[in-house]
Amino acid sequence: LFVLSTFTGFAQEDVSRSSVFTTMPHDSQAVSFTQDHFAIHADGVGDDSAALQAAIDQVSETTSYGVVFIPEGTYRLANTIHLWRGIRLIGYGEKRPVFLLGQNTPGFGEGQEKYLLKFCHKPTGTDSVSDAGNTSYASGMKNIDFKIESGNPGAIAVRYHIPQLCMLENMHFDIGEGKGGIKDIGSLIEQCSFEGGDRNSANLRWLAGYAPKLSIQLSAHRFHSHSTGRSDGDRLPFHRHGNGDHDYP
């Protein structure tokens, strides 16, 4: 877990904001977050929170782990999304999809610290939702942007309290007047840029956009993947145990 008070030591560069997947990659077991399968709007107006959570839950309840492909569009979120263990959200299209917090969304006001998306341990029985624990591996997001509009001073895009082998990659966080981009920073963050955010917050455990563009290169978190047998510090190998039927890394 990183506790950040400054950005000294991190590489700052002009991070590309281009989509890294212009078409949907092939994965025979992935869930496709489209209007053919879910009641979504993707127009930045209608609330897509329930539909996105349903897509994530579908993966958890059918294959336990896997991918939800998110096509280009603007997905307005009015409630926190819970991302369970082993599930990855991957965007595609000519432009990256955007998760949007609209203006003055209830619950995200002053003194109401709240997340758009939270890496979580899925509860069982009477347990409540909790932070990802030491067995919550391989969750992640790639090629999806966040945008927080005005009137949401308590908003934080992502709670990233996780163990190893999780990732955030190829993302832009437009925090605006919100509180922060990522809170509780751990594991892999690559090719992410940040702008906006609360510069005066007393809590130093989150990452806001103190520079117009900031590439986070956490070289200390390079890892060896036992599933693929390779070392790779540039991207997380999204490999399924027992199933190689996909065409993305």
Side-chain angles (χ1 to χ4, degrees):
L1 177 67
F2 279 78
V3 180
L4 300 181
S5 58
T6 70
F7 295 103
T8 304
F10 290 102
Q12 298 188 40
E13 59 185 51
D14 188 11
V15 180
S16 172
R17 291 174 58 180
S18 300
S19 176
V20 296
F21 295 122
T22 56
T23 60
M24 187 176 77
H26 170 70
D27 186 326
S28 61
Q29 295 188 28
V31 169
S32 180
F33 190 59
T34 63
Q35 292 177 336
D36 294 338
H37 302 95
F38 298 94
I40 62 175
H41 304 88
D43 58 3
V45 179
D47 181 11
D48 288 318
S49 302
L52 180 56
Q53 191 64 60
I56 293 169
D57 291 346
Q58 180 176 319
V59 176
S60 178
E61 292 162 6
T62 54
T63 59
S64 297
Y65 55 87
V67 171
V68 178
F69 285 127
I70 312 289
E72 179 180 341
T74 300
Y75 301 88
R76 184 166 183 162
L77 305 179
N79 295 292
T80 301
I81 302 301
H82 297 129
L83 187 60
W84 313 123
R85 176 179 66 181
I87 298 175
R88 285 84 68 191
L89 307 180
I90 300 180
Y92 68 93
E94 291 298 322
K95 296 181 180 179
R96 294 177 187 168
V98 177
F99 287 172
L100 172 72
L101 184 66
Q103 293 183 11
N104 304 304
T105 300
F108 293 87
E110 191 71 44
Q112 297 177 290
E113 183 177 300
K114 189 173 179 179
Y115 310 97
L116 276 75
L117 185 139
K118 182 177 180 180
F119 283 68
C120 294
H121 174 74
K122 190 173 184 179
T124 57
T126 59
D127 294 342
S128 58
V129 174
S130 60
D131 279 324
N134 58 6
T135 61
S136 301
Y137 300 116
S139 305
M141 295 183 67
K142 183 182 179 76
N143 204 46
I144 299 171
D145 294 341
F146 279 91
K147 181 177 177 62
I148 297 173
E149 292 189 330
S150 62
N152 299 293
I156 301 170
V158 175
R159 181 165 175 83
Y160 196 42
H161 184 95
I162 43 82
Q164 62 267 38
L165 300 184
C166 294
M167 56 83 69
L168 297 170
E169 188 174 2
N170 301 105
M171 301 174 68
H172 178 70
F173 294 79
D174 184 352
I175 307 162
E177 300 172 359
K179 182 160 284 189
I182 305 170
K183 182 174 180 180
D184 280 0
I185 300 167
S187 203
L188 186 74
I189 303 175
E190 291 275 353
Q191 294 299 307
C192 291
S193 57
F194 302 80
E195 59 181 313
D198 182 0
R199 297 170 182 245
N200 302 311
S201 174
N203 188 332
L204 301 178
R205 294 172 64 194
W206 59 60
L207 182 57
Y210 286 56
K213 291 192 176 181
L214 182 69
S215 174
I216 306 305
Q217 306 291 345
L218 298 184
S219 58
H221 287 272
R222 291 174 184 261
F223 59 88
H224 180 74
S225 169
H226 296 289
S227 62
T228 62
R230 73 179 187 181
S231 294
D232 190 342
D234 295 324
R235 63 180 62 194
L236 181 68
F238 289 115
H239 181 83
R240 293 181 188 275
H241 292 279
N243 172 26
D245 187 14
H246 52 70
D247 63 359
Y248 54 93

